[in-house]
Amino acid sequence: MIIAVVFSMFFAVILVSLYMLQIVDAETNIRLSNENSMRESIVLPPRGRIFDRNGVELARNRPSYSICVLPYKLRQRNEVIQSLCKIRDTDGTVVFDSVSLAQQFRRANSRRFDLHRIKEDVSIDLVSIIEEHYLELPGIVVETESRREYPFGAATFHAIGYMGEIPEKEFDTLRNQDYYWGDLMGRSGLERYYESEMRGKCGREYQEVNAFGKSMGAVSRIQRIEPVYGNDLYLSLDINLQRAVEKAFPDSLKGAVVALDPRNGDVLVMYSNPSVDPNIFSAATSVKGRTWTAVAADRNLPLNNRAIAGVYPPGSTFKPLTGIAGLSTGKITRDTRMSASCGGSYRFGNRIAKCHKPPPGHGTTNYIAANQWSCNVYFYQLGLMLDDDNINKYARMFGLGSLTGIDLPGERMGYLSGEAAYNERFANRGWRWTRGLVMDLAIGQQQVLTPLQLALMVGGMGNAKAIHKPHLVKEKRNKDGILVSQFKDSIISRLDLNQYTIDVTHEALSAVVKPGGTGTRAAVPGITVGGKTGSAQNPHGDKTHAVFISCAPVDNPVISVAVVVENAGGGGAMAAPVAGVLLKQFFAENTEGKAVYAKLNPDLPPLAARLAQESRQAAAWAARQRVERAVDEEAAGADQLYQHNRETGGSR
């Protein structure tokens, strides 16, 4: 009986063990068995590249090596850690840290069958050392992968975006979409918006492996599944214009610049400052971690794309739109003079609203002069004549107060004020709309818009036909350069304006950039530029935001520009010069711009030659001034010495 009981218990244990091995843990043990001889390898497709409108690469791929651990192959963890810690690079520096390795191995155990990177973007010398010592490193695998590279760095960051590793909290959802542990994906900009287009589809192959997890080559009896390459993106962006803006924009200030073709919505420039070099996100985790901490803690928010997500009061740049409402409704003509002249302020009830020009102010002006000098008093009265409904009717006609639908994530729609919107927005504070607030609305101090919306608005004022949906991607092509799809022009809004309103608006815009106007620093020789300066109220600083919008040529524009410089003061002094640099670069160097300039100035040399000559003349004048100052200073010094000698009895 005792022997029978003992043997029964023995066989019971065997049966339970067999049940656990073959039934409960069957899937795991089958996979372990297969992995002893072969391992499924994911073949990542090359990610699609990004090009500017002239075919210049803005984002590309480069080969990279990573040292990974396969946890289920890691038998003697401490011995492997010790072996890794003995490895030194070519400079004799220890490559691995035992504490860090122990932490990484513990984290990797939660996903035993997935590869985990322990050292990224390593040199080929380190790869060779790891391969030479593979017998001492069971479970340590070298993986070849590609990393994203951005040749123009911070200049294109906000438009192009960057790549990042999939966060653990998102992985369980994305693993069903052909993503794998440790995968990279677009985290912002075009990289994120067109993630599925550029990623392609993964392939698979089975590799024969030895007991240490080292690959011995593909298993021939199992067919390889080839990856599907991602599509390349061809943009409307012009990298030469983009870099010109980067150099012209005040480095220490925040803001954004947008330039587009108002005829079709092509975005030519999208720049936001401060910016970040996206290559840091493709660096090894140790390097990226240090940089990311600094970027994330930066109070200037360099990750924010101010071109589409920064909302600012448009200030005086909104005045031409108020004027369009007045001209279209017949409230004013180009020669209309208001009942109250500008004496530096305007009284409405108990309120005294100031003009930017102190007493005696601008005096009596017509509509054109009021735009040219940006007279607040004129537009206060025009706003009271129109009311908020009429002003907002034309604002919405120009696409304001709604999303533009640009192919980038994170766009904000701004806000159009008015009685209904104001009362709803400030209901919790008990504030109510009063008629006097329409004066602020008329001069652009009640609403907030994005730089992108401002560029669309001024482009619409120039072409006077339609507001086109802005876009960055013009074409998608496969790896062989064959066209996959092309952007189709889309109209956001059609403009219903009479010819008189159009003509007067063009005259008013061009007057701003002519001598005597507030935007003369945006002028381009041989091109009639239309524009409007603005100083937008800033609740977070002492100085106003500097704003400038422009389009050129004003009556048939091929480019429209919006510049916002935060906390910088006047738009004519700070924002208009940036637009001037951009416009000159466009008409001097851009193919489309040069053609327009040549058509308008058939008997004159190219703009680039004219600008070069002006630059030489300016340099010569500056040199003469320096010489004259030096001569004057020498003469003054000689006179002082002579006077000193006379007083002390010396000789000259």
Side-chain angles (χ1 to χ4, degrees):
M1 289 292 292
I2 293 171
I3 292 173
V5 170
V6 171
F7 272 87
S8 296
M9 291 174 65
F10 177 73
F11 281 108
V13 171
I14 292 176
L15 290 171
V16 171
S17 298
L18 288 172
Y19 176 78
M20 294 295 292
L21 284 168
Q22 299 186 45
I23 305 299
V24 177
D25 296 329
E27 184 178 352
T28 300
N29 291 321
I30 289 170
R31 185 170 181 177
L32 283 169
S33 176
N34 289 334
E35 291 282 0
N36 279 328
S37 59
M38 68 179 71
R39 181 174 72 241
E40 182 186 46
S41 177
I42 305 303
V43 184
L44 294 174
R47 190 175 179 85
R49 298 163 297 171
I50 302 177
F51 299 88
D52 88 330
R53 68 187 301 115
N54 300 311
V56 179
E57 272 189 322
L58 306 181
R60 61 194 180 202
N61 307 306
R62 63 175 175 84
S64 172
Y65 300 99
S66 290
I67 310 302
C68 305
V69 60
L70 201 54
Y72 82 92
K73 287 285 187 182
L74 198 61
R75 302 287 186 233
Q76 303 294 327
R77 189 179 70 176
N78 292 334
E79 286 78 356
V80 171
I81 290 176
Q82 291 175 9
S83 297
L84 286 171
C85 289
K86 294 177 183 176
I87 296 175
R88 296 175 179 270
D89 61 18
T90 53
D91 298 326
T93 306
V94 175
V95 176
F96 296 98
D97 171 68
S98 60
V99 176
S100 176
L101 284 174
Q103 292 174 346
Q104 289 174 312
F105 287 177
R106 279 196 297 271
R107 284 198 299 267
N109 271 333
S110 61
R111 298 178 185 272
R112 299 186 64 238
F113 295 101
D114 292 321
L115 283 170
H116 297 258
R117 297 183 187 90
I118 59 174
K119 202 74 175 176
E120 301 173 70
D121 208 13
V122 301
S123 67
I124 189 65
D125 294 330
L126 181 57
V127 170
S128 300
I129 294 171
I130 294 291
E131 293 289 359
E132 288 172 8
H133 294 83
Y134 79 91
L135 291 176
E136 306 165 30
L137 303 170
I140 302 302
V141 180
V142 176
E143 283 289 298
T144 304
E145 54 192 15
S146 67
R147 287 183 179 268
R148 211 58 161 161
E149 189 172 59
Y150 304 95
F152 297 98
T156 58
F157 170 70
H158 293 97
I160 303 302
Y162 69 95
M163 301 282 293
E165 191 170 319
I166 300 172
E168 187 170 0
K169 62 183 179 181
E170 297 179 22
F171 177 68
D172 289 334
T173 302
L174 292 171
R175 71 185 310 164
N176 298 323
Q177 301 175 28
D178 209 25
Y179 286 91
Y180 298 89
W181 182 252
D183 251 352
L184 302 177
M185 68 181 301
R187 304 303 295 172
S188 75
L190 293 171
E191 293 278 26
R192 177 178 171 185
Y193 195 90
Y194 289 100
E195 166 68 18
S196 59
E197 296 277 353
M198 288 193 288
R199 175 177 170 78
K201 292 184 179 179
C202 296
R204 290 175 177 80
E205 71 174 6
Y206 283 88
Q207 295 180 340
E208 189 174 353
V209 295
N210 60 20
F212 299 93
K214 180 177 174 60
S215 174
M216 308 300 290
V219 178
S220 59
R221 66 180 182 275
I222 301 179
Q223 185 176 2
R224 170 187 166 105
I225 301 174
E226 294 295 335
V228 178
Y229 284 45
N231 290 327
D232 295 333
L233 303 183
Y234 288 78
L235 310 185
S236 57
L237 210 68
D238 187 323
I239 190 58
N240 295 320
L241 297 178
Q242 187 86 3
R243 297 183 74 187
V245 167
E246 182 189 30
K247 292 178 182 177
F249 199 92
D251 185 58
S252 60
L253 297 178
K254 297 176 286 186
V257 181
V258 176
L260 49 82
D261 187 336
R263 300 170 300 175
N264 52 27
D266 280 2
V267 176
L268 302 171
V269 170
M270 179 168 286
Y271 179 73
S272 178
N273 197 61
S275 188
V276 178
D277 184 353
N279 290 299
I280 66 173
F281 299 103
S282 297
T285 302
S286 56
V287 177
K288 180 170 58 180
R290 293 193 299 270
T291 312
W292 172 252
T293 301
V295 170
D298 193 333
R299 297 175 62 184
N300 291 320
L301 305 176
L303 297 178
N304 284 8
N305 185 355
R306 289 171 163 82
I308 63 170
V311 288
Y312 309 91
S316 295
T317 60
F318 192 81
K319 288 175 181 175
L321 200 147
T322 302
I324 287 174
L327 292 165
S328 298
T329 56
K331 299 289 185 181
I332 60 168
T333 66
R334 73 173 301 284
D335 299 314
T336 297
R337 298 172 184 270
M338 293 297 171
S339 57
S341 63
C342 175
S345 63
Y346 178 74
R347 177 181 288 276
F348 181 75
N350 294 326
R351 177 186 174 187
I352 298 178
K354 294 184 178 180
C355 185
H356 69 87
K357 186 176 183 180
H362 295 105
T364 301
T365 65
N366 63 13
Y367 174 68
I368 301 299
N371 264 285
Q372 186 178 29
W373 301 333
S374 199
C375 177
N376 286 353
V377 170
Y378 189 98
F379 286 92
Y380 289 148
Q381 296 173 81
L382 179 54
L384 292 168
M385 293 166 61
L386 288 167
D387 74 45
D388 58 304
D389 286 339
N390 271 322
I391 294 174
N392 284 332
K393 171 187 173 182
Y394 287 90
R396 293 189 183 93
M397 184 186 294
F398 278 78
L400 306 182
S402 59
L403 297 175
T404 68
I406 190 171
D407 49 348
L408 282 176
E411 182 190 7
R412 294 178 66 183
M413 65 188 295
Y415 167 80
L416 287 182
S417 188
E419 183 173 4
Y422 185 93
N423 292 342
E424 180 182 353
R425 188 178 188 189
F426 297 110
N428 61 337
R429 301 187 187 181
W431 297 356
R432 302 291 296 175
W433 177 267
T434 60
R435 187 163 178 263
L437 290 175
V438 77
M439 297 193 300
D440 299 324
L441 185 71
I443 64 167
Q445 299 291 4
Q446 273 286 324
Q447 58 282 77
V448 291
L449 306 173
T450 65
L452 175 61
Q453 289 173 323
L454 289 172
L456 286 171
M457 179 183 76
V458 72
M461 291 176 184
N463 72 38
K465 297 173 184 176
I467 304 296
H468 294 259
K469 181 180 178 180
H471 60 276
L472 282 161
V473 173
K474 289 175 69 71
E475 295 177 349
K476 301 170 192 172
R477 295 180 178 271
N478 66 16
K479 66 182 181 68
D480 299 317
I482 298 172
L483 183 66
V484 174
S485 65
Q486 200 168 25
F487 175 81
K488 294 181 180 179
D489 188 12
S490 176
I491 291 176
I492 297 175
S493 174
R494 296 194 179 276
L495 304 179
D496 182 17
L497 304 175
N498 60 59
Q499 192 58 47
Y500 180 76
T501 297
I502 296 169
D503 293 340
V504 174
T505 299
H506 290 166
E507 184 182 356
L509 290 172
S510 60
V512 172
V513 185
K514 290 179 179 178
T518 56
T520 54
R521 298 180 73 176
V524 178
I527 300 292
T528 305
V529 178
K532 187 71 188 76
T533 57
S535 298
Q537 288 180 355
N538 171 25
H540 306 294
D542 296 330
K543 287 188 175 182
T544 58
H545 298 320
V547 189
F548 183 74
I549 59 173
S550 62
C551 61
V554 67
D555 56 351
N556 188 22
V558 294
I559 184 173
S560 61
V561 179
V563 180
V564 178
V565 187
E566 297 182 16
N567 312 320
M574 297 302 297
V578 178
V581 170
L582 172 55
L583 291 171
K584 287 173 184 174
Q585 175 79 13
F586 177 78
F587 287 105
E589 303 295 342
N590 180 275
T591 303
E592 180 78 15
K594 287 194 293 185
V596 171
Y597 178 85
K599 182 178 179 181
L600 295 175
N601 303 276
D603 300 325
L604 294 176
L607 180 59
R610 292 181 63 179
L611 293 175
Q613 183 179 3
E614 289 179 5
S615 178
R616 289 192 295 270
Q617 290 173 345
W621 180 84
R624 286 197 301 272
Q625 291 294 106
R626 287 195 296 271
V627 170
E628 290 173 3
R629 281 198 299 270
V631 170
D632 291 342
E633 290 170 0
E634 185 177 356
D639 289 340
Q640 289 177 358
L641 179 62
Y642 175 71
Q643 185 65 28
H644 174 74
N645 287 338
R646 287 192 60 184
E647 293 174 355
T648 58
S651 61
R652 187 170 183 176

